[in-house]
């Protein structure tokens, strides 16, 4: 058997999920990594409404560096049949509690009993629940970055997520710049990077700084610049990131790169610098192009009370399970 299996809801994909893919892959680097993604109806029944649809989540994970194959509609409770079907020697998961949201049972008990379950260290500082809380509490900016990634953690995670694939542009490269804030990763944002790769040989994201974003929007971005970098580094079409840019494209970029085209994440007044007026601008040609940060935020806010209740239910289940474990010991 030459496969490793990793599954989950991944209903608002972030760098913690992508680091899980990397860590699962490293358990046996010669194995192919299969990522199972639960369907919308199952997540609705078990946890509540999903943030992104199955198709949207599958598209994002199929666009990342460390995933070999996506398994859409994966079952909630892992069976040996699923592992055998995909020729996987074992299932992998973070070393945190693995509990079904509806009844608190262990979703991986069968694989564990069969000796076909392995763990890796969970990524601290980010979770779907944490990201949802930031979006739901957007008016309380002080609570945004109560957790998050520091520079030391960023340095180590950079190499893991990029797969050491990032490189410097050469004089022969045709450089396409994708300009935006990318507050969190969306199918629309990923489709822009994919589109950029169709028009050039080198794709670089010009990532707006936290300070610049807050000066324009009156609040910080939902993820810090370092977190946003980690999200983007997972995408297989990306070659590099210029961190801490301004809303108006910096004129000096034209001296650094042989820029042959531009894309904008969500175009706003003032983003285009007249120095670039001679360059073509492209738009994503994808069914996911309109699935942007603002679109996903609307989904979440329209179901605000449901997501708050979902988070509370999850934390309650985990606390109860942890207490039971301590009693058993």
């Amino acid at each position: 058997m030459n496969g490793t299996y990793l599954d989950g809801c991944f209903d608002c994909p972030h760098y913690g999920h992508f680091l899980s893919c990397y860590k699962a892959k490293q358990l046996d680097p010669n194995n192919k990594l299969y990522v199972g993604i639960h369907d919308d109806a199952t997540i609705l029944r078990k946890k509540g409404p999903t943030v992104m649809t199955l198709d949207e989540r599958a598209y994002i994970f199929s666009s990342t560096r460390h995933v070999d194959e996506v398994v859409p509609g994966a079952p909630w409770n892992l069976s040996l049949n699923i592992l055998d079907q995909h020729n996987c020697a074992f299932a992998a998961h973070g070393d945190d509690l693995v509990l079904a949201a509806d009844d608190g049972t262990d979703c991986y008990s069968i694989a564990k009993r069969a000796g076909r379950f392995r763990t890796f260290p969970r990524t601290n500082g980010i979770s779907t629940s944490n990201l949802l809380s930031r979006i739901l509490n957007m008016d309380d900016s002080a609570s945004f970055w109560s957790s998050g990634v520091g520079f030391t953690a960023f340095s180590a995670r950079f190499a893991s997520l990029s797969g050491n694939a990032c490189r410097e542009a050469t004089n022969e490269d045709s450089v396409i710049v994708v300009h935006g804030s990318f507050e969190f990763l969306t199918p629309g944002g990923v489709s822009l990077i994919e589109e950029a790769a169709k028009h050039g040989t080198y794709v670089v994201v010009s990532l707006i700084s936290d300070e610049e974003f807050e000066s324009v929007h009156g609040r910080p971005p939902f993820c810090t610049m370092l977190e946003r970098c980690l999200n983007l580094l997972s995408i297989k079409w990306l070659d590099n990131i210029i961190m801490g840019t301004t809303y108006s494209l910096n004129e000096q970029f034209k001296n650094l790169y042989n820029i042959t085209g531009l894309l904008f994440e969500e175009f706003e007044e003032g983003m285009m610098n007249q120095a670039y007026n001679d360059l073509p601008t492209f738009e994503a040609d994808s069914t996911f192009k309109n699935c942007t940060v603002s679109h996903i935020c609307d989904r979440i806010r329209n179901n605000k009370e449901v997501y708050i209740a979902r988070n509370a239910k999850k934390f309650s289940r985990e606390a109860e399970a942890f207490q039971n474990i301590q009693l058993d010991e």
Side-chain angles (χ1 to χ4, degrees), residues 15-52:
Y15 69 88
H17 296 143
F18 307 137
L19 278 168
S20 292
C21 294
Y22 167 77
K23 293 173 183 178
K25 185 92 168 177
Q26 294 307 301
L27 292 174
D28 191 334
N30 294 320
N31 279 3
K32 291 179 63 176
L33 180 64
Y34 294 82
V35 174
I37 303 178
H38 306 316
D39 63 54
D40 302 341
T42 301
I43 296 174
L44 177 62
R45 188 171 67 254
K46 297 284 189 178
K47 294 175 62 177
T50 183
V51 177
M52 297 187 194

Side-chain angles (χ1 to χ4, degrees), residues 117-162:
F117 182 81
R118 297 174 65 178
T119 63
F120 50 80
R122 182 188 182 279
T123 300
N124 295 318
I126 188 67
S127 68
T128 299
S129 300
N130 174 266
L131 184 53
L132 281 174
S133 293
R134 299 186 201 186
I135 296 169
L136 290 168
N137 297 308
M138 64 175 294
D139 295 326
D140 180 16
S141 60
S143 69
F144 274 19
W145 301 343
S146 57
S147 60
V149 60
F151 183 77
T152 302
F154 172 81
S155 301
R157 293 169 180 177
F158 179 99
S160 300
L161 288 171
S162 67

Side-chain angles (χ1 to χ4, degrees), residues 6-141:
L6 175 74
D7 68 1
C9 298
F10 309 120
D11 55 339
C12 194
H14 53 71
Y15 69 88
H17 296 143
F18 307 137
L19 278 168
S20 292
C21 294
Y22 167 77
K23 293 173 183 178
K25 185 92 168 177
Q26 294 307 301
L27 292 174
D28 191 334
N30 294 320
N31 279 3
K32 291 179 63 176
L33 180 64
Y34 294 82
V35 174
I37 303 178
H38 306 316
D39 63 54
D40 302 341
T42 301
I43 296 174
L44 177 62
R45 188 171 67 254
K46 297 284 189 178
K47 294 175 62 177
T50 183
V51 177
M52 297 187 194
T53 69
L54 176 60
D55 287 345
E56 291 164 354
R57 290 175 282 135
Y59 170 65
I60 288 178
F61 276 88
S62 66
S63 305
T64 58
R65 300 184 194 276
H66 300 295
V67 176
D68 295 294
E69 188 171 325
V70 169
V71 183
W76 190 268
N77 291 307
L78 181 65
S79 68
L80 299 184
N81 181 56
I82 287 294
L83 296 181
D84 293 339
Q85 182 180 338
H86 297 286
N87 201 33
C88 291
F90 58 88
H93 195 279
D95 56 7
D96 50 332
L97 289 171
V98 185
L99 302 173
D102 58 340
D103 60 9
T105 58
D106 186 345
C107 305
Y108 299 92
S109 57
I110 294 175
K112 288 178 179 178
R113 287 197 297 270
R116 297 174 68 178
F117 182 81
R118 297 174 65 178
T119 63
F120 50 80
R122 182 188 182 279
T123 300
N124 295 318
I126 188 67
S127 68
T128 299
S129 300
N130 174 266
L131 184 53
L132 281 174
S133 293
R134 299 186 201 186
I135 296 169
L136 290 168
N137 297 308
M138 64 175 294
D139 295 326
D140 180 16
S141 60

